Amino acid sequence: MTNGAVAQRPLRFAIIGAGMSGILSAIKLSEAGFDDYIVYEKAERLGGTWRENTYPGIACDVPSHLYSYSFEPNPEWSHRFAPGAEIQAYFEGVAQRHAVNERIVFGTAIDQAEFVNGRWNLTTTDGRTDTVDVIIAATGVLHHPNIPHLDGIESFAGASFHSARWDHSVPLDGRRVGVIGTGSTAVQIVSALVDQCGAITMFQRTPQWIGPQENPAFSEAQIEQFKEHPEIITMMRDEISRGFADRFSNAVINADSPEMQLIEAVCKAHLEDSVHDPVLREKLRPDYRAACKRLVISGDFYSAIQKPNAELVTAGIQCIEPGGVRTVDGQLHELDVLVLATGFRVDRFMRPMNVVGRDGLLLDDAWAAGPVAMLSISVPDFPNLFMLNGPNGPVGNFSLIEVAELQIAYVLELVEEISAGHCTQISAGREATAAFDAARKEAAKTTVWATGCRSWYLDADGIPATWPWTFDRFRQEMAAPKMDHYERI
Ligand code: NAP
């Protein structure tokens, strides 16, 4: 459908979630002439992951000129990798400029979505109802904090919180701070806090490969140039995107590729060159392939962890006590603040919303063996419901904005089938979805993610639940739906 075209069959839409994908969906629906939509947002503020994650040091390790909407370049990014608060402000600005705010119902979570008589009946957690023709689920991936079951955690006498629930009322100056985890989040927190707190202790279950990164600030002159010549931003964006596709996405899907070996060599050299104490260096050295877990990118973590007030604890956690963390070697690590940088439950997607599809089919039952969707967008027997950044799509080190933009254009083509009156219901075909999922799982075997490590990429069967082909192939798939893969009624 071309921008500005008028829908032939009036359709009402619900967008669920006002994060990056939800804001994008609202803008693109308006542009396509679909004006009857509402955005349900459970929180009181938009922004999704950037609203929820406010921990010290938060930034996006995808370059900001790529981690922006293609239609809303931002000449004013302060750094190559902008801090989280700037990204949150960017989304708020975009939403305001495109009048998305007034379409958002804040503080309203959808409890149930049920497909009845060809439409979706929605019930909010406070008992309100709505009926829509199409749902766009923009509910995020890294969204549900993973709170580990650590013995005695409730007994801790200091402040304790998950990294995505940062309590800014807790003072940190001069305090003894413990951070459980070694993922991208923990690395950013430790790097940011080491000079502020009295002592910082990182509890490592598994070491991480860390790619080096410089984060230069853009000068005023550069920013002026971006403003005057937005085409420079477009060029930079294309170049970064191309580089990601050629060097990163092609590498990780082929564990034996020269590109993958290059990434590995860069990470190894980063460790060798940065960490001087051989004991600490060996503690930090992973015994699995680089990028098997989501690659951590940081230019300052190795320097932070070598500071005199930083400690890396590799003994396992036995329990939490009022005074701190006791490790299995019997030592008590005394702490005032304990941060759980322990990641997210990544198999939830739209849930805990109770989604009931055609003939009473529960999403929980359809996904009993794990989340499955055609190209991460559509689930058989859940007609006229489309996900952005749904299961098994490109995640990890990619720009999820780039991914979501490709997906929404594809979704609009599916919607066009209904709007144009070619059908009233459209959802991925069962056989086509099963074939897609089998091919995806087969392809995943040769990716670096399947080379033997524990990571959030892996599903319950240990199969990487992410796009296992090139990013170019993803682009091609998103260029136009193969309608024979869809069931249209
Ligand atoms: P994560 O990568 O899943 O890391 C969780 C960490 O917690 C791991 O080190 C894990 O250890 C540890 N852990 C979990 N349960 C534990 C337990 N019971 N005992 C001890 N350790 C435990 O989570 P994350 O760091 O929040 O990052 C999640 C994702 O968010 C990233 O991979 C990335 O995609 C995204 N992110 C992006 C950026 C960015 O700059 N773009 C920044 C932050 C996050 P194991 O490794 O042993 O499992």
Side-chain angles (χ1 to χ4, degrees):
M1 179 163 217
T2 52
N3 289 353
V6 177
Q8 291 164 19
R9 179 189 148 193
L11 295 174
R12 177 164 171 76
F13 295 75
I15 297 167
I16 303 180
M20 172 277 286
S21 305
I23 296 166
L24 170 71
S25 303
I27 294 169
K28 292 295 164 183
L29 282 181
S30 287
E31 275 180 16
F34 296 111
D35 207 43
D36 186 6
Y37 67 83
I38 184 165
V39 186
Y40 287 105
E41 168 54 58
K42 69 179 163 53
E44 296 296 342
R45 198 176 170 197
L46 57 76
T49 201
W50 301 104
R51 174 196 65 229
E52 305 223 334
N53 287 276
T54 58
Y55 59 79
I58 183 165
C60 184
D61 62 14
V62 175
S64 300
H65 283 293
L66 182 61
Y67 194 78
S68 330
Y69 298 119
S70 59
F71 52 90
E72 275 280 349
N74 177 17
E76 301 199 43
W77 289 124
S78 66
H79 288 76
R80 184 170 161 79
F81 303 93
E86 229 179 278
I87 300 171
Q88 171 69 16
Y90 168 79
F91 285 122
E92 286 178 346
V94 171
Q96 204 166 21
R97 279 195 292 284
H98 291 263
V100 176
N101 291 40
E102 55 219 52
R103 314 298 288 272
I104 305 175
V105 187
F106 287 103
T108 305
I110 303 296
D111 185 42
Q112 171 152 308
E114 186 176 10
F115 193 69
V116 183
N117 298 330
R119 301 188 83 201
W120 284 99
N121 289 344
L122 305 179
T123 312
T124 65
T125 47
D126 56 5
R128 281 176 284 156
T129 57
D130 192 358
T131 300
V132 299
D133 299 288
V134 178
I135 293 177
I136 298 181
T139 48
V141 188
L142 298 157
H143 180 52
H144 301 278
N146 170 44
I147 309 290
H149 301 289
L150 297 167
D151 270 358
I153 190 143
E154 341 62 51
S155 73
F156 183 60
S160 174
F161 40 82
H162 187 271
S163 53
R165 300 284 181 272
W166 198 273
D167 182 347
H168 290 275
S169 70
V170 174
L172 300 167
D173 288 0
R175 298 296 174 100
R176 297 164 302 176
V177 178
V179 178
I180 299 180
T182 55
S184 306
T185 302
V187 160
Q188 290 181 342
I189 292 171
V190 169
S191 307
L193 283 189
V194 71
D195 290 332
Q196 183 186 355
C197 55
I200 194 148
T201 308
M202 184 183 222
F203 295 91
Q204 169 182 287
R205 185 164 70 179
T206 313
Q208 289 270 6
W209 286 113
I210 300 179
Q213 162 187 293
E214 285 182 6
N215 191 14
F218 291 114
S219 66
E220 277 182 29
Q222 278 175 307
I223 290 173
E224 275 317 303
Q225 214 186 10
F226 293 151
K227 284 182 185 165
E228 279 168 31
H229 301 282
E231 68 278 9
I232 301 179
I233 301 181
T234 311
M235 271 165 52
M236 277 170 58
R237 192 186 160 83
D238 290 349
E239 203 177 292
I240 303 165
S241 174
R242 195 66 258 156
F244 254 113
D246 291 346
R247 287 194 291 277
F248 191 78
S249 101
N250 292 354
V252 289
I253 58 164
N254 180 356
D256 298 324
S257 61
E259 294 91 345
M260 194 56 245
Q261 281 160 14
L262 181 65
I263 292 174
E264 223 142 28
V266 168
C267 292
K268 280 183 184 160
H270 188 209
L271 176 65
E272 302 297 341
D273 298 346
S274 314
V275 183
H276 312 299
D277 171 5
V279 176
L280 179 62
R281 191 162 62 228
E282 290 321 301
K283 283 185 181 177
L284 287 166
R285 189 188 301 279
D287 62 359
Y288 56 87
R289 304 276 312 267
C292 181
K293 283 169 171 295
R294 197 275 195 188
L295 195 63
V296 176
I297 313 279
S298 173
D300 45 16
F301 172 70
Y302 285 143
S303 130
I305 200 69
Q306 293 178 85
K307 293 200 173 173
N309 64 335
E311 188 187 1
L312 182 75
V313 172
T314 54
I317 295 171
Q318 186 181 315
C319 63
I320 313 294
E321 298 183 5
V325 172
R326 187 165 305 270
T327 43
V328 290
D329 55 6
Q331 206 182 329
L332 177 66
H333 303 269
E334 291 184 81
L335 301 170
D336 303 307
V337 180
L338 179 60
V339 178
L340 306 174
T342 44
F344 299 87
R345 292 189 63 192
V346 295
D347 63 346
R348 307 304 294 154
F349 296 98
M350 293 175 271
R351 298 173 287 182
M353 180 168 73
N354 184 34
V355 187
V356 187
R358 194 181 275 146
D359 302 327
L361 178 64
L362 299 179
L363 185 70
D364 276 343
D365 289 338
W367 282 0
V372 173
M374 169 60 80
L375 291 164
S376 96
I377 284 174
S378 171
V379 184
D381 294 313
F382 292 81
N384 308 351
L385 182 155
F386 309 109
M387 291 173 287
L388 298 186
N389 285 309
N392 314 314
V395 286
N397 294 77
F398 294 105
S399 164
L400 291 195
I401 299 189
E402 208 179 4
V403 171
E405 282 195 34
L406 293 164
Q407 289 175 329
I408 190 68
Y410 180 100
V411 166
L412 283 171
E413 296 213 30
L414 297 177
V415 166
E416 170 66 3
E417 288 294 296
I418 317 167
S419 152
H422 298 155
C423 61
T424 57
Q425 300 179 21
I426 186 162
S427 53
R430 286 181 212 97
E431 281 178 20
T433 305
F436 166 75
D437 208 51
R440 173 188 72 73
K441 287 181 172 166
E442 187 58 30
K445 289 180 183 166
T446 57
T447 65
V448 76
W449 309 306
T451 54
C453 66
R454 172 174 45 207
S455 86
W456 65 260
Y457 290 157
L458 302 182
D459 68 14
D461 300 320
I463 298 169
T466 176
W467 181 256
W469 297 289
T470 64
F471 199 70
D472 285 337
R473 175 158 169 183
F474 182 71
R475 275 185 211 285
Q476 284 157 17
E477 289 285 359
M478 289 297 104
K482 296 186 178 93
M483 287 303 172
D484 55 339
H485 289 174
Y486 284 84
E487 185 181 20
R488 286 171 292 174
I489 294 176

